[in-house]
Amino acid sequence: MIKLKPLSADSVPNALKRAEHYRLLNQPRQAESICRDILLVEPTNKQALVNLILSITDQFGTNISSSDSEARELCGKLDDDYQEQYYLGLIEERLGRAALKKSIPRAKYIAYEFYHNAMEYYEKAEKIHPPGNEDSILRWNACARTIQEFKIEPSPSDDGVPHLLE
């Protein structure tokens, strides 16, 4: 196995800028790799954790395998209840968006569940938001608009069909 080369601690600020740069260039795999390198040097670096969560979720719905369970686990490392709830909501929202892109039966029902879960997380975040930061409200509203625009709704409870994406 190839051994990874470690970053020096003084290179972390520039590496964080590079990770953000690659995310903006729609290259989430590169951003993810950089964040993982940063976290090897600074395991509690919040900016790297957030960028890693975002990089992972940027890949939802693509052919590239990305793990929503890892993203959820990373949220628990943020050490900030607001951010944890907000990013858990973002994970659900992005899973909902990915579900909407699937051409499978029940995709809209599955998407609804993800969007509904996202809205619940955003409501929790709203209750504890820092002054001047109402991002959770903006995301909640975006979910509500998506539900309305795509006319998605909960699955009928008595149909007995499992909720699967694959």
Side-chain angles (χ1 to χ4, degrees), residues 76-88:
K77 296 181 179 183
L78 289 173
D79 265 353
D80 177 308
D81 290 339
Y82 170 79
Q83 282 194 334
E84 181 177 358
Q85 296 304 309
Y86 178 82
Y87 287 107
L88 285 168

Side-chain angles (χ1 to χ4, degrees), residues 12 67 83 89 125 158-159:
V12 168
S67 169
Q83 282 194 334
D158 59 344
D159 63 8

Side-chain angles (χ1 to χ4, degrees), residues 18-143:
R18 299 308 279 163
E20 182 64 24
H21 176 77
Y22 282 111
R23 277 202 66 244
L24 293 174
L25 289 175
N26 199 25
Q27 295 183 24
R29 297 274 298 170
Q30 184 64 33
E32 177 184 345
S33 177
I34 293 169
C35 291
R36 291 184 190 285
D37 288 337
I38 294 167
L39 291 169
L40 289 173
V41 177
E42 294 182 8
T44 60
N45 186 303
K46 270 190 173 181
Q47 192 175 351
L49 286 167
V50 166
N51 276 319
L52 181 55
I53 292 165
L54 293 173
S55 296
I56 291 169
T57 62
D58 286 342
Q59 298 171 69
F60 290 168
T62 66
N63 291 335
I64 299 168
S65 173
S66 55
S67 169
D68 63 292
S69 61
E70 180 187 13
R72 291 175 209 282
E73 183 181 314
L74 290 166
C75 288
K77 296 181 179 183
L78 289 173
D79 265 353
D80 177 308
D81 290 339
Y82 170 79
Q83 282 194 334
E84 181 177 358
Q85 296 304 309
Y86 178 82
Y87 287 107
L88 285 168
L90 192 86
I91 292 165
E92 294 289 327
E93 181 180 355
R94 289 183 172 192
L95 286 167
R97 187 177 311 131
L100 274 178
K101 291 179 183 178
K102 298 271 187 188
S103 57
I104 60 170
R106 306 186 52 76
K108 284 189 174 185
Y109 296 140
I110 295 166
Y112 177 86
E113 292 302 318
F114 284 126
Y115 280 108
H116 178 63
N117 292 342
M119 292 168 81
E120 287 181 351
Y121 282 118
Y122 291 143
E123 284 180 344
K124 291 176 187 175
E126 180 187 353
K127 291 176 184 172
I128 56 175
H129 72 84
N133 180 345
E134 294 187 342
D135 290 350
S136 57
I137 293 172
L138 297 173
R139 297 290 356 132
W140 191 97
N141 288 344
C143 290

